[in-house]
Amino acid sequence: MSIVTDHLPDTLAQQAIVAWEHVIERASPAQAQALEDAAAGLPPGQLATVLACSPFAADLSRRKPAMLLDLLTDGSLQQSLAEDAFCQQLRAALAIPDVELGPALRRFRQRHMLRIVWRDFCRLADTLETVRDTSLLAEACIDIALTHTQVALEQRFGRPIGRISGQPQRLIVLAMGKLGARELNVSSDIDLIFAFPEAGYTDGEKRQISNEEFFTKVGQGLITALDQLTPEGFVFRVDMRLRPYGESGALVHNFNALEEYYQDQGRDWERYALIKARPVSGEPQVAEQLMQSLQPFIYRRYVDFGVIESLRGMKHMISAEVRRRGLQDNVKLGHGGIREVEFIAQCFQLIRGGRDLGLQQRELLAVLEECVVLGCLPRDVVDELRAAYLFLRDSEHAIQGYQDKQTQELPVDAIPQQAMAQVMGFDSWSAYREVLDGHRQRVSHHFSELIAPPEEEQAAEETLDNSGLWGDDMDAEALSELGYADAEQSLRLLQDLRGSTRVVSLQAEGRERLDQFMPLLLRACSEVEQPDLSLQRVLPLVISVVRRSAYLVLLMENPPALAELVSLCWASPWIAEQMSRHPALLDEFLDRASLYTAPDKQVLQRELAQEVARLATDDLEAQMDALRYFKASQVLRVAASEIAGRLPLMKVSDN
């Protein structure tokens, strides 16, 4: 018997021995001897670990001893694969005469899932290699199945031709979620969206159909090739619910229709979903056109505090779902789970990704590192989140690799618990749970701290009487009580603002935000020496941003920033004018220490180099925008430092 079980507890050791006996029994005599020889040459403990801790791998090996023998002898269990190896191997498998697409895809998936689970459970691959290989496996299956499906349909209907370009078309498959970021777990479904470049018709000689009808057939064929359950199983479960209009919407959309939908009807959760979207088929330059058209919807060009309320709502739904569904023992969806780490990173992407281009990445760990660079999160917090994320993903793979089931629930029976502890490197289930609970507590703490409801400020606001300050009933007496000396004049300014075309034509959300903001602004102005003058100087900024109400939310969410803005505008008409011309500078008020510190030349050079390094070298417009913002923000910091008395007059011109 060539299976080493010394490192395993008795129960798991016996499970491994029985599984190996079943493999040998099902093999032919020649295969059995070859399997014994190959197993004897393995590093000690690998074979027993996999057979004991993954009934999925044990059953697959028993049913397909030739597949196991091939993996044991070709060396692929002991080494990483190149990125293009998956597509090359699948093309070679399909090049065999008379081979059918469906069975070939399923055999290919079985072979690589056995390899991926083996390498993960034996810690031959780290977490990132496991998710990368699973993603590359899915991408190869999508690409090859799509090509076969479209070629078959073109033989019936001809090639789909774009009405404007006159060029042949190919379906663009957008991989969403973890597949988009190449972070797929070992037993995951895949979220997809289908798109094609242009409307038009096929050029078939006997029958022509519209491009939409053609690509609908392609999409249906692709889903069937991957998702259909056969005696050989399935390849990947396909989820299309993230497409426009969800399950009730068309299966495919052309680029113009997609862009129009997201700009007119797209919701914040769809922005959240598209952060990781990545084309996995089609011509690269055509796919890039699609991504460029979606970019303005995903990432606003400014710091988007307007999305905070939506994120707060999503966060509340996450917490409520854990309680409602009893998900405490779910390593993905439970408190302190994988989803909460993802939410933390993606919040910063939605809020700041439009201006801080380094956040426009798909990989979670890369985004967390960028949060440190930008000062969004402290180094120690990101280190804790990273360690927890990797531990949780390893746990997820140990759960799913046990029986190849799409679950993230911790096992409740003793043997699966023992197997999971073994894979995770612990002597006992209790030792594993202790470390797991520590990671989850830290993640849960950081999650609860993120965009927490400003309870203290809300409680204070509820005790204030804002009647007469804004709205139909606003009057001079209420302003006088706040300390406005020329209340009648200030009232006229407010009435002019409220009756202006910009305000009258606001959508409901913008009007609601303005109604919440104005009393806060009036009270902030009352805190300086000349409230009337301060209000007069700040109102042009309000007018300039009223249609981009995310700026109002920024100030509502950050009362100290509003106070600093009012104070500086009262002290300097020049700053007030600059703010109305460049509202994006409001972001500078979020960091008071930075606002009142004029950097020296070396710091300026370093900061500018970092800003430019994040931009595409061929994007001249983005580079010019970055330079303009950088110049304006630094001048603001110099002016603020002078007003605050932190910069002597002789140093102002130097800076």
Side-chain angles (χ1 to χ4, degrees), residues 24-36:
I24 297 301
E25 287 171 4
R26 285 292 297 268
S28 68
Q31 285 177 335
Q33 185 58 55
L35 282 165
E36 292 279 9

Side-chain angles (χ1 to χ4, degrees), residues 241-370:
R241 289 176 295 177
L242 292 180
R243 70 185 188 270
Y245 306 105
E247 290 180 290
S248 63
L251 187 64
V252 300
H253 295 81
N254 65 47
F255 287 6
N256 287 339
L258 267 186
E259 183 177 6
E260 183 177 329
Y261 168 82
Y262 286 119
Q263 294 303 332
D264 294 345
Q265 303 185 51
R267 290 152 291 181
D268 285 327
W269 72 261
E270 289 175 299
R271 292 178 58 199
Y272 187 90
L274 283 166
I275 282 176
K276 294 180 181 290
R278 179 172 56 88
V280 292
S281 71
E283 295 294 329
Q285 61 269 28
V286 177
E288 183 58 26
Q289 290 174 16
L290 174 61
M291 296 310 298
Q292 288 298 323
S293 72
L294 298 179
Q295 197 77 349
F297 170 67
I298 305 170
Y299 295 109
R300 305 298 191 243
R301 290 182 68 85
Y302 46 83
V303 178
D304 185 13
F305 273 80
V307 78
I308 282 185
E309 200 54 43
S310 293
L311 292 170
R312 191 172 280 142
M314 290 183 209
K315 179 186 170 188
H316 175 74
M317 288 172 60
I318 290 171
S319 299
E321 184 187 23
V322 173
R323 293 190 297 271
R324 178 174 56 83
R325 294 176 56 192
L327 298 171
Q328 286 78 6
D329 281 339
N330 190 302
V331 297
K332 175 186 177 182
L333 304 177
H335 286 308
I338 296 164
R339 179 169 61 176
E340 292 187 1
V341 183
E342 294 171 335
F343 187 81
I344 291 170
Q346 288 179 259
C347 276
F348 289 111
Q349 289 182 280
L350 282 186
I351 294 170
R352 299 189 54 164
R355 214 201 73 188
D356 296 312
L357 303 187
L359 290 171
Q360 293 185 17
Q361 302 184 66
R362 299 180 179 93
E363 299 83 0
L364 182 137
L365 294 180
V367 172
L368 288 177
E369 285 301 316
E370 189 66 20

Side-chain angles (χ1 to χ4, degrees), residues 368-625:
L368 288 177
E369 285 301 316
E370 189 66 20
C371 285
V372 176
V373 173
L374 295 171
C376 303
L377 291 170
R379 174 80 263 172
D380 60 330
V381 170
V382 167
D383 287 344
E384 288 183 358
L385 291 174
R386 177 187 172 88
Y389 176 75
L390 293 173
F391 190 89
L392 288 164
R393 293 305 306 270
D394 285 342
S395 299
E396 179 183 43
H397 296 150
I399 294 169
Q400 295 181 338
Y402 187 75
Q403 286 187 324
D404 191 26
K405 289 185 177 178
Q406 188 186 14
T407 177
Q408 287 90 9
E409 290 284 345
L410 292 168
V412 294
D413 295 332
I415 292 178
Q417 286 180 347
Q418 202 171 41
M420 185 170 178
Q422 179 71 33
V423 170
M424 293 297 294
F426 293 90
D427 294 332
S428 67
W429 178 248
S430 59
Y432 163 75
R433 279 304 303 255
E434 183 179 351
V435 176
L436 172 68
D437 291 344
H439 282 304
R440 292 181 63 176
Q441 287 169 9
R442 287 185 284 275
V443 171
S444 185
H445 170 72
H446 298 312
F447 177 76
S448 66
E449 292 290 303
L450 186 74
I451 56 173
E455 294 171 0
E456 294 180 6
E457 290 88 343
Q458 286 179 349
E461 287 171 28
E462 289 168 3
T463 63
L464 297 174
D465 181 10
N466 290 326
S467 60
L469 291 181
W470 180 255
D472 294 334
D473 63 343
M474 60 184 175
D475 57 48
E477 184 179 346
L479 293 173
S480 295
E481 291 177 0
L482 278 182
Y484 284 79
D486 192 351
E488 291 292 344
Q489 172 61 21
S490 292
L491 178 61
R492 283 193 290 273
L493 291 174
L494 294 173
Q495 289 171 333
D496 289 343
L497 170 64
R498 197 160 185 271
S500 67
T501 304
R502 280 175 173 256
V503 172
V504 170
S505 61
L506 281 177
Q507 299 291 329
E509 183 183 52
R511 174 63 67 92
E512 183 180 337
R513 288 176 175 176
L514 182 65
D515 291 345
Q516 293 172 349
F517 172 74
M518 287 307 297
L520 299 178
L521 173 63
L522 292 168
R523 291 185 180 280
C525 289
S526 72
E527 297 295 326
V528 299
E529 288 183 30
Q530 297 173 287
D532 303 277
L533 179 60
S534 177
L535 178 64
Q536 179 184 338
R537 288 179 176 173
V538 174
L539 281 182
L541 169 62
V542 177
I543 293 170
S544 69
V545 303
V546 74
R547 290 184 182 277
R548 293 175 287 174
S549 57
Y551 287 122
L552 303 182
V553 180
L554 182 154
L555 295 170
M556 287 190 286
E557 291 280 342
N558 297 274
L562 176 58
E564 296 292 347
L565 171 69
V566 167
S567 178
L568 287 175
C569 287
W570 164 69
S572 169
W574 181 85
I575 286 182
E577 180 192 0
Q578 290 299 303
M579 294 308 302
S580 64
R581 289 177 57 194
H582 306 289
L585 292 173
L586 285 171
D587 189 34
E588 300 300 318
F589 286 82
L590 299 178
D591 186 349
R592 193 173 189 275
S594 172
L595 177 64
Y596 291 109
T597 303
D600 60 29
K601 188 173 182 179
Q602 288 184 334
V603 174
L604 280 173
Q605 289 175 330
R606 186 165 61 249
E607 288 185 0
L608 182 55
Q610 289 176 347
E611 289 289 333
V612 175
R614 298 188 182 101
L615 302 175
T617 55
D618 58 349
D619 193 343
L620 181 61
E621 181 181 359
Q623 292 176 8
M624 295 299 291
D625 285 343

Side-chain angles (χ1 to χ4, degrees), residues 200-221:
Y201 288 87
T202 60
D203 62 358
E205 294 181 3
K206 295 181 179 179
R207 184 183 172 193
Q208 296 181 346
I209 59 175
S210 70
N211 287 354
E212 181 175 2
E213 184 180 353
F214 178 87
F215 285 118
T216 297
K217 293 179 183 293
V218 173
Q220 291 168 338

